[in-house]
Amino acid sequence: MRGFLIWVAAVLAMTAPARAFDTTASAAWVYDVQTGTVLMEKNAETPLPPASMSKLMTLTMLFEALRDGRVGMDTTFPVSEKAWRMGGSKMFVEPADRPSVEDLIHGIIINSGNDACVVVAEGLAGTEEAFARQMNERAAQLGLTHTTLTNASGWPDPGHRMSMEDLGLLATYIITEFPDLYPNFAMTSFNYKGRVPSNAGNRNPLLSIGTGEWTADGLKTGHTQEAGYGLVGSAIQDGRRIIFVITGLTSDRARAEESERLVNWAFREFSMRTLVPAGEDVAQVPVWLGTVSRVGLTTQNGVNVLVPAGVQDQVKVEVVYDSPVPAPIARGDRLGQLVVTIPGTRDTVTPLIATQDVPEAGLVGRMKGAVMQLGQRAITAVTG
């Protein structure tokens, strides 16, 4: 491999050092959606009891059924005795009810209804056990490598586990793949048939904060004695979205305070920088036996990164590629990668693609190229 470095300190202004976020959560994961940057992780890959936060997987299965046309928002499901008898947080469905998919979405998101989850599981798969198997298969397909689910609601079970990273990736999937359904997560109240006003409010503490700087719009709380208090949250500021997951807090107040602190930190301590504008050439690389001697490399959509305050002069950008690149080359072929290294964050790797077609040279061109290559090898042998 061959590469070279582009130092970008000159175009990045210095600011005060970024403060590390020392969360009181037992595990956490913070992610910037626009740049794909993990801003913070703590025990993020450890499978832990997710409590009601795992209801996001039940919702994912239901959302996919809607997308695929297997059910509609007005489709109704029966309520089994098992669903009716579920304990914990409830939507308060009864055996005579036939709640619609729309009702059940609200009941799961807002009321955190364990009974609603069982209704969905049985409606889509026949039994909750079969639904759990389907969820595990889908989780594996989505790349959730630290997830095993035994039920639809997050009811405590030794085999029911998710990592904070998996929960965050699942939240990202929901937000990006179901923009028409995602606004349901910002709803603050739902009282099915007026049965239990005391359980009608959304437990997400960020929905009612309204700082004026950012707006929260999801996703799901969770609490059991084993798991503590947790939240899969998302907030947006000037088009920039943060997704975070925390767990292991000692109270709902601690969860609310830690969530607000974390979102403030994520927005204030990182700044967006454009390192490579869309369409701009990054490098010119040699071509072997082509009709031209060099071809440009560019990115598909440019490169935007988040830089922690105080390390703007330490950003390193490296272009890595095989050299020379053999012809023929088609415009858009992936020929290398651009690696951005920023202290305190994971490297950002962006594919580099050819800017033009380069046909293979004719016979004369290939002969000239071979002679030149032999000449270069001879020089190298003498001088080396």
Side-chain angles (χ1 to χ4, degrees):
M1 295 295 288
R2 177 185 176 184
F4 62 89
L5 304 182
I6 305 172
W7 291 91
V8 294
V11 299
L12 299 173
M14 283 292 294
T15 63
R19 298 187 299 272
F21 191 85
D22 186 15
T23 181
T24 57
S26 61
W29 189 80
V30 187
Y31 181 70
D32 180 88
V33 175
Q34 183 175 355
T35 62
T37 304
V38 177
L39 304 182
M40 189 266 285
E41 49 192 347
K42 177 181 179 182
N43 299 326
E45 296 183 352
T46 304
L48 297 170
S52 288
M53 294 187 292
S54 68
K55 287 181 169 73
L56 291 180
M57 192 67 211
T58 297
L59 288 164
T60 295
M61 302 294 284
L62 184 54
F63 288 176
E64 290 184 339
L66 280 164
R67 181 189 62 192
D68 298 342
R70 288 179 279 133
V71 299
M73 292 294 273
D74 57 353
T75 299
T76 59
F77 290 146
V79 178
S80 67
E81 183 174 351
K82 177 182 179 180
W84 173 54
R85 292 188 181 279
M86 282 297 296
S89 299
K90 301 182 69 169
M91 176 180 167
F92 292 96
V93 290
E94 297 177 355
D97 293 328
R98 294 296 183 269
S100 68
V101 166
E102 185 174 15
D103 289 335
L104 291 164
I105 289 172
H106 297 158
I108 295 173
I109 293 174
I110 301 167
N111 309 135
S112 198
N114 296 327
D115 51 355
C117 289
V118 175
V119 171
V120 168
E122 294 175 342
L124 291 179
T127 67
E128 189 175 14
E129 293 75 19
F131 187 70
R133 290 193 295 270
Q134 292 178 9
M135 285 196 297
N136 285 322
E137 292 173 1
R138 187 66 182 122
Q141 293 168 356
L142 291 173
L144 309 184
T145 57
H146 303 288
T147 291
T148 53
L149 303 172
T150 61
N151 59 71
S153 64
W155 195 262
D157 184 281
H160 195 83
R161 295 290 185 266
M162 294 187 77
S163 70
M164 300 306 101
E165 180 182 56
D166 281 1
L167 281 164
L169 293 174
L170 186 58
T172 306
Y173 175 75
I174 290 172
I175 291 169
T176 55
E177 293 296 318
F178 304 101
D180 55 331
L181 294 170
Y182 181 64
N184 286 290
F185 288 94
M187 294 181 62
T188 57
S189 180
F190 178 68
N191 187 6
Y192 183 65
K193 295 191 174 181
R195 286 178 179 162
V196 185
S198 62
N199 194 50
N202 194 321
R203 294 173 174 82
N204 186 341
L206 294 186
L207 296 180
S208 60
I209 288 177
T211 66
E213 298 179 6
W214 48 262
T215 301
D217 56 8
L219 292 148
K220 190 70 193 73
T221 58
H223 170 247
T224 63
Q225 185 174 357
E226 180 184 18
Y229 289 81
L231 174 64
V232 182
S234 182
I236 192 166
Q237 180 184 69
D238 298 328
R240 179 184 160 204
R241 181 177 293 280
I242 295 295
I243 292 173
F244 69 93
V245 190
I246 54 176
T247 193
L249 281 303
T250 57
S251 67
D252 53 358
R253 179 176 178 178
R255 173 173 62 192
E257 292 175 349
E258 192 71 354
S259 298
E260 185 177 4
R261 285 202 316 124
L262 193 152
V263 172
N264 284 332
W265 168 81
F267 283 129
R268 293 173 182 171
E269 294 300 318
F270 294 83
S271 56
M272 184 76 70
R273 293 290 184 267
T274 297
L275 299 185
V276 179
E280 181 175 289
D281 280 12
V282 173
Q284 292 282 326
V285 301
V287 175
W288 170 242
L289 300 181
T291 55
V292 296
S293 61
R294 306 184 77 83
V295 65
L297 299 185
T298 189
T299 61
Q300 186 72 36
N301 299 305
V303 178
N304 299 309
V305 297
L306 282 181
V307 183
V311 300
Q312 280 87 346
D313 62 339
Q314 301 174 45
V315 176
K316 183 177 69 175
V317 182
E318 183 179 11
V319 176
V320 182
Y321 56 89
D322 288 321
S323 179
V325 181
I329 299 167
R331 181 179 180 181
D333 281 353
R334 179 172 176 172
L335 302 180
Q337 59 188 21
L338 185 141
V339 181
V340 180
T341 302
I342 302 172
T345 65
R346 293 180 180 177
D347 286 355
T348 299
V349 180
T350 304
L352 292 175
I353 59 177
T355 59
Q356 67 181 84
D357 295 331
V358 180
E360 189 176 11
L363 177 60
V364 174
R366 292 199 302 274
M367 291 177 62
K368 287 182 178 179
V371 170
M372 292 177 61
Q373 182 72 5
L374 289 172
Q376 291 173 354
R377 289 179 180 176
I379 293 171
T380 301
V382 171
T383 60

